[in-house]
Amino acid sequence: MSETLKRLAAVIESRKPANGGDPATSYVARLFAKGDDAILKKIGEEATETVMAAKDARRDNDASKVLYECADLWFHSLVMLAQFDLTPQQVLDELARREGLSGLEEKAARKDALRDAGETDKH
């Protein structure tokens, strides 16, 4: 995992109120204190801003805003991962697991697993 991701994940983890993060002095601690819905709302906002920046980049032939907005989206996604006690390394591991799989095959396998789980619940 990149050193930048490791350091950022550690800082985000330290901002959890349970780890001493102070919502009065830390934006991330404030997000954690507000809970899941605030974090998820922020991700939705950042995702929309990323899409709009990409549309503007296509029109203006300047991708600099895409990079900026994508960084915001990744950052808030890292906050969400921490909220659910997940790590960037776990995301990278999942991506590595999928490496070499056809996207269509991977999607079909997830549908099969969900169907099988539903059938198990019925018995």
Side-chain angles (χ1 to χ4, degrees):
M1 183 167 68
S2 103
E3 290 303 312
T4 302
L5 277 178
K6 281 183 185 178
R7 285 191 308 272
L8 189 53
V11 169
I12 289 169
E13 190 67 28
S14 76
R15 297 299 197 264
K16 288 181 173 181
N19 296 333
D22 181 1
T25 60
S26 167
Y27 168 75
V28 173
R30 193 172 314 134
L31 277 177
F32 282 132
K34 289 181 179 180
D36 300 351
D37 286 341
I39 295 167
L40 299 175
K41 179 180 177 189
K42 193 62 184 170
I43 290 173
E45 291 170 6
E46 296 301 341
T48 299
E49 289 172 9
T50 302
V51 168
M52 297 309 296
K55 287 182 168 284
D56 291 347
R58 182 178 56 201
R59 181 193 65 223
D60 301 338
N61 202 27
D62 176 10
S64 61
K65 290 180 183 174
V66 175
L67 185 61
Y68 181 86
E69 294 300 342
C70 191
D72 283 352
L73 179 58
W74 281 25
F75 175 82
H76 288 90
S77 294
L78 291 171
V79 173
M80 178 192 61
L81 289 172
Q83 175 72 3
F84 292 101
D85 297 320
L86 299 168
T87 66
Q89 186 60 56
Q90 288 173 290
V91 175
L92 294 173
D93 292 346
E94 176 61 16
L95 290 171
R97 184 191 68 77
R98 295 179 189 185
E99 191 174 4
L101 292 177
S102 155
L104 296 175
E105 290 171 359
E106 196 276 333
K107 187 174 181 179
R110 275 188 282 144
K111 283 184 180 179
D112 290 345
L114 288 172
R115 185 192 67 237
D116 292 347
E119 289 175 2
T120 302
D121 292 342
K122 292 178 185 176
H123 297 300

